[in-house]
Amino acid sequence: MLVNFKEMLMKAKKENYAVPHLNINNLEWTKYILEKCNELNIPIILGVSEGAAKYMGGFHAIFGMVNGLIEDLNITIPVCLHVDHGSSKETCMKAIDAGFTSVMIDASRYALEENIKITKEVVDYAHARGVSVEAEVGHIGGAEDNIISTITNATLEDCLTLYENTKIDALAPALGSVHGFYKGEPNLDFETMKKISDSLPIPLVLHGGTGIPDDKIKKAISCGICKININTELQSVWSKAVRDYLSENKTVYDPRKIIGSGEAAMKNRIEEIVTLFGTKR
Ligand code: 13P
């Protein structure tokens, strides 16, 4: 069933675990993620970046694909279909109108006042339609969809101001994480993370889940992180498996065999992620 993330993340906050947000790129990835999460009986958030939405044809095409897979594969777990880093109110509205159950409005590139104004407009539109909203304070570093950002850490004060003025459903405070692979050890500000979590009634989100060591993931969950976004890591395990398969099967040309050769590696990694996050239904 397609749902927003409110209930699944509030439960995670109460019971101290995290729900995975896994980015999707095509039908096969969506199918593998849904099948594996259904087998593990855990809720899942399917993240769709603007670049991935464009690649797959658009928000309507994705909504139809996800809904169809849920029905045809008898998926019974809660599934949240979420826009990742929506860059404008218009993008978020388009996704909501197409049936997405959740959006992230990322107006973090603007000054706080403007971030609040845009986020609040999205919240008003989304909440009137039962859709959940995530927002970002500070800047998450690294590169995603070829958009490169430098890290600026969020402050407790800015997080409280944004929440009070918008009543978002989840907050991604940038506290040292980056999209893509880390150069060296990630340097996460757990102290501020805990303070923000203790001061807000909503769940926190950790972006840039790829490459964060297991002990730091666990620490982040203990500091209030309830949703962890993973993209690069699944791309990496899938592409390695496909590369290995192609180098051993030089004459294969059936795309189903080529794309499908990454299925087992992806599903195994998803199980490890879910075990690490302690995700429950
Ligand atoms: P990674 O690509 O580093 O896993 O980050 C994913 C993410 O944060 C998506 O919003």
Side-chain angles (χ1 to χ4, degrees):
M1 202 199 0
L2 272 185
V3 295
N4 66 38
F5 65 46
K6 284 192 210 179
E7 200 181 314
M8 63 172 85
L9 292 190
M10 285 313 286
K11 185 168 176 292
K13 183 171 166 79
K14 216 162 99 197
E15 297 180 22
N16 248 292
Y17 61 87
V19 176
H21 154 136
L22 303 177
N23 285 76
I24 58 171
N25 294 290
N26 56 24
L27 176 123
E28 288 83 352
W29 282 54
T30 313
K31 181 168 174 274
Y32 305 156
I33 293 169
L34 288 176
E35 282 174 343
K36 190 66 200 180
C37 294
N38 201 54
E39 180 195 317
L40 298 171
N41 196 26
I42 56 132
I44 185 67
I45 299 167
L46 301 176
V48 180
S49 69
E50 285 184 16
K54 201 168 158 203
Y55 175 80
M56 288 184 271
F59 294 126
H60 287 98
I62 297 163
F63 174 75
M65 172 181 81
V66 171
N67 242 345
L69 285 171
I70 288 174
E71 177 144 357
D72 286 342
L73 300 174
N74 294 318
I75 301 296
T76 54
I77 50 167
V79 178
C80 174
L81 184 56
H82 176 78
V83 174
D84 190 21
H85 293 282
S87 64
S88 67
K89 177 182 150 193
E90 289 70 29
T91 297
C92 293
M93 286 167 62
K94 247 191 196 169
I96 293 168
D97 291 347
F100 274 56
T101 51
S102 187
V103 293
M104 175 190 189
I105 172 66
D106 181 358
S108 64
R109 63 191 176 284
Y110 299 110
L112 186 67
E113 206 175 307
E114 186 67 7
N115 187 351
I116 288 173
K117 181 177 164 284
I118 297 168
T119 301
K120 176 78 173 79
E121 286 171 3
V122 172
V123 167
D124 289 345
Y125 193 81
H127 283 182
R129 290 157 181 82
V131 168
S132 48
V133 180
E134 173 188 339
E136 179 176 324
V137 173
H139 286 297
I140 290 152
E144 189 171 61
D145 273 354
N146 299 322
I147 298 163
I148 298 168
S149 323
T150 47
I151 302 176
T152 311
N153 276 14
T155 63
L156 173 62
E157 202 186 5
D158 284 0
C159 291
L160 292 179
T161 310
L162 184 117
Y163 174 71
E164 282 309 325
N165 287 284
T166 61
K167 295 292 189 275
I168 48 167
D169 306 295
L171 174 70
L175 292 168
S177 64
V178 303
H179 291 125
F181 292 111
Y182 288 82
K183 294 184 184 91
E185 271 268 312
N187 183 16
L188 302 180
D189 181 354
F190 292 114
E191 205 184 314
T192 307
M193 198 181 280
K194 176 97 178 73
K195 277 190 196 149
I196 296 169
S197 174
D198 289 347
S199 314
L200 290 179
I202 53 168
L204 299 188
V205 181
L206 178 64
H207 282 249
T210 298
I212 299 179
D214 290 5
D215 59 325
K216 291 196 172 176
I217 290 280
K218 286 197 170 142
K219 179 112 198 255
I221 293 171
S222 76
C223 291
I225 294 292
C226 305
K227 168 178 181 280
I228 303 179
N229 293 14
I230 302 226
N231 184 18
T232 308
E233 188 168 341
L234 288 184
Q235 294 186 345
S236 171
V237 293
W238 176 84
S239 57
K240 183 184 179 310
V242 172
R243 247 190 291 275
D244 290 349
Y245 175 78
L246 285 174
S247 67
E248 283 158 23
N249 298 274
K250 293 214 184 315
T251 56
V252 70
Y253 52 82
D254 184 337
R256 293 169 296 186
K257 290 187 180 152
I258 297 171
I259 298 172
S261 64
E263 175 178 351
M266 251 184 87
K267 285 184 167 172
N268 287 342
R269 190 60 196 124
I270 291 170
E271 184 154 0
E272 287 169 5
I273 288 166
V274 168
T275 306
L276 175 64
F277 292 3
T279 320
K280 290 186 238 168
R281 181 158 173 198

